[in-house]
Amino acid sequence: AHLAPRVRAHPRRLPRVRPVLIATIHDVAPPTLAAVDQLRAALAGWGVDAVTLLAVPDYHRRAPLASCPRTATWLRAAADRGDEVALHGVIHRQDAPVAARRDRLRARLFTAGEGEMLGAGADDRARLAAARAQLAELLGRDVAGFVAPAWLERAGLGDRLAEVGFAWHETAWVIEGLTPRRRVRAPVIGFATRTRWRERAALAWAAALAPLLAIAAPVVRVAVHPADLTSAAVMAALERVV
């Protein structure tokens, strides 16, 4: 039999590990279900087998998941197919005042009144535990992840999430495993459609960042929002990135 020669590979010539793509659909709630379903179909068409779905238990205090069987059924079916459902705040709206000046500035810059986890009391352990338990009961399975609306959170939120049973959370810059603690730096590629200049800035950011991450990052994150469907340019950019 022919025996292949033994070859010692030079370390710098070893094949690079291909990055992992994490595609996340934000703001899953009864009012956004049609858009979310359309976005999920688009991602599937671009070759994404599984996504993370960020569910809001009571979107803007006017759309409880528990009162919408259609949304609950859709989420359970998605989870059965392999998608992961994570908690995305509780109401996705900043009702309570924000104490720190830096946090008030972040809220004004990065969201329109939806920086829920910056508000006083939003990170209360009992509140977080109750929202997690409610979503888990609706899904019929554990809820491991948490993502703050607009990725805005106060320092120390990871500790409180770990105490009530969450296994991971993420910010705009990192994914943090909570049990055990491990941080993976992975800037998120997302799009803004609230104003024309924000949309142009987001498109430019994605065009510059995506090629760099594809070359150098172990994890590439893409965030998709229901409002992305309102912009043909954003949807085209999302397809290119994926």
Side-chain angles (χ1 to χ4, degrees):
H2 174 73
L3 298 178
R6 297 177 65 185
V7 177
R8 180 175 295 176
H10 191 284
R12 279 183 284 186
R13 294 176 184 168
L14 290 174
R16 180 175 58 85
V17 176
R18 296 181 67 185
V20 174
L21 171 67
I22 299 177
T24 303
I25 301 178
H26 287 232
D27 308 346
V28 181
T32 64
L33 182 59
V36 167
D37 186 57
Q38 189 174 342
L39 290 169
R40 183 66 188 90
L43 287 166
W46 301 334
V48 179
D49 295 327
V51 305
T52 305
L53 299 164
L54 301 186
V56 185
D58 188 6
Y59 189 76
H60 289 192
R61 292 193 186 278
R62 60 183 176 84
L65 282 175
S67 300
C68 184
R70 182 166 174 263
T71 305
T73 299
W74 189 94
L75 279 168
R76 284 193 293 268
D80 289 342
R81 290 191 298 268
D83 291 345
E84 178 172 10
V85 181
L87 190 68
H88 193 34
V90 180
I91 60 171
H92 207 284
R93 189 176 72 184
Q94 181 202 316
D95 276 357
V98 178
R101 181 179 179 181
R102 174 177 176 271
D103 287 342
R104 291 197 298 271
L105 178 61
R106 291 165 67 202
R108 284 197 296 270
L109 284 175
F110 297 115
T111 186
E114 295 186 320
E116 176 185 356
M117 301 311 297
L118 296 177
D123 57 356
D124 177 75
R125 291 173 182 83
R127 181 176 186 265
L128 293 171
R132 177 173 179 260
Q134 181 189 46
L135 183 58
E137 182 179 3
L138 182 143
L139 295 172
R141 66 185 68 214
D142 187 39
V143 174
F146 182 94
V147 180
W151 300 283
L152 295 174
E153 58 182 59
R154 294 191 294 177
L157 178 63
D159 294 331
R160 284 177 282 283
L161 293 171
E163 289 168 4
V164 299
F166 287 97
W168 64 268
H169 80 125
E170 66 176 43
T171 70
W173 297 98
V174 301
I175 304 170
E176 183 175 31
L178 301 173
T179 53
R181 284 297 177 96
R182 182 189 176 209
R183 291 168 66 87
V184 177
R185 181 164 291 277
V188 69
I189 299 172
F191 296 87
T193 55
R194 184 154 44 100
T195 62
R196 194 64 176 268
W197 74 265
R198 289 177 186 271
E199 181 177 317
R200 288 175 176 169
L203 289 167
W205 168 254
L209 185 61
L212 298 177
L213 294 179
I215 293 170
V219 177
V220 177
R221 290 192 293 156
V222 178
V224 186
H225 293 78
D228 292 345
L229 287 169
T230 65
S231 168
V234 166
M235 291 302 293
L238 273 170
E239 182 176 7
R240 286 193 298 272
V241 169
V242 173

